[in-house]
Amino acid sequence: MLEKVPERKSKISASRKLMLKSLMAAKAKEDLEQELVEKEEQKAKYLEEKSPPVQTSGLSLAELQELCEELHTKIDVVDEERYDIEAKVLHNTREIKDLNIKVQDLRGKFKRPNLRRVRVSADAILRSLLGSKHKVSMDLRANLKSVKKEDAEKEKTVEVSDWRKNVEAMSGMEGRKKMFDAAKGQNQ
């Protein structure tokens, strides 16, 4: 029943497509180079702000040693932070790779077949769901109640009677109990 839809022919010629692709690639290359230059500029600006030039002229040997020790402690702190961040990034990249592999596996496993209409009776569906041990009949017509015309006419005449008496009788807890008992009696 599935019909193959004919593929539409492209309105753009192959040479035009190739030219557009090459133009897009050239534009992307320019944008990438521009982005790299901007990143380098931002990096240089950041370093100028965060690390002012060190004044070493006119310092004694003890002061120079103290300055070196401070710089080494700062370098150690930064290296520790960098190591922690690299470890987190490495962990996240591994997790992303694992999840991508799982997604690829799931895509490969569950190829959706072409669906076709199948006529199955309700009994066959129940048999497949419940197993062959349970014998359940889904003959819905046998379960339907038969209604006689006389019963329907009697119900209509009951409804036409004085509604105020019915409301007074059903008010309060006694009325609710009557309604509950009536509903219970009908179900059994």
Side-chain angles (χ1 to χ4, degrees):
M1 289 194 171
L2 289 175
E3 297 177 15
K4 279 194 171 182
V5 178
E7 293 184 28
R8 292 186 297 164
K9 289 189 176 183
S10 178
K11 294 181 180 180
I12 302 173
S13 67
S15 61
R16 175 96 172 133
K17 273 187 190 179
L18 185 62
M19 185 185 71
L20 289 174
K21 283 183 183 179
S22 64
L23 287 174
M24 287 173 55
K27 177 67 174 157
K29 184 178 178 183
E30 288 175 10
D31 289 346
L32 188 61
E33 289 172 354
Q34 181 68 26
E35 211 174 289
L36 290 173
V37 169
E38 287 176 4
K39 282 184 181 181
E40 287 296 324
E41 289 174 357
Q42 287 177 350
K43 184 177 178 181
K45 185 178 177 184
Y46 180 81
L47 287 175
E48 286 176 10
E49 289 176 3
K50 295 294 179 180
S51 60
V54 180
Q55 296 292 334
T56 56
S57 62
L59 295 176
S60 67
L61 184 62
E63 291 172 340
L64 285 174
Q65 286 178 343
E66 187 178 316
L67 180 64
C68 286
E69 287 175 7
E70 287 177 17
L71 290 175
H72 280 291
T73 56
K74 287 181 181 179
I75 289 171
D76 289 342
V77 169
V78 169
D79 278 343
E80 288 175 7
E81 290 176 2
R82 183 180 52 85
Y83 178 77
D84 291 343
I85 292 171
E86 283 180 356
K88 286 180 184 177
V89 168
L90 190 63
H91 175 72
N92 287 341
T93 53
R94 282 185 192 147
E95 195 170 322
I96 289 170
K97 283 181 184 177
D98 290 344
L99 291 174
N100 282 336
I101 290 171
K102 285 181 184 178
V103 167
Q104 293 299 328
D105 288 346
L106 289 176
R107 280 186 187 162
K109 281 183 187 176
F110 302 109
K111 288 187 178 178
R112 293 190 177 113
N114 293 332
L115 299 178
R116 55 192 169 103
R117 290 185 182 258
V118 177
R119 287 195 169 208
V120 180
S121 67
D123 291 331
I125 292 172
L126 283 174
R127 235 181 285 120
S128 67
L129 291 174
L130 300 175
S132 60
K133 293 180 182 177
H134 301 284
K135 293 188 178 180
V136 178
S137 176
M138 271 299 287
D139 187 14
L140 297 175
R141 291 187 180 146
N143 294 338
L144 293 175
K145 292 182 178 178
S146 60
V147 178
K148 296 179 184 175
K149 287 187 178 181
E150 297 169 5
D151 293 339
E153 290 174 7
K154 287 179 185 177
E155 288 179 10
K156 287 182 183 176
T157 57
V158 171
E159 292 176 9
V160 175
S161 65
D162 191 13
W163 59 272
R164 283 170 267 167
K165 291 179 183 175
N166 193 18
V167 170
E168 290 172 3
M170 293 298 173
S171 66
M173 289 303 289
E174 295 174 11
R176 290 199 177 113
K177 184 178 179 192
K178 287 179 189 174
M179 287 172 46
F180 180 73
D181 291 341
K184 220 180 192 184
Q186 288 177 356
N187 289 339
Q188 292 176 355

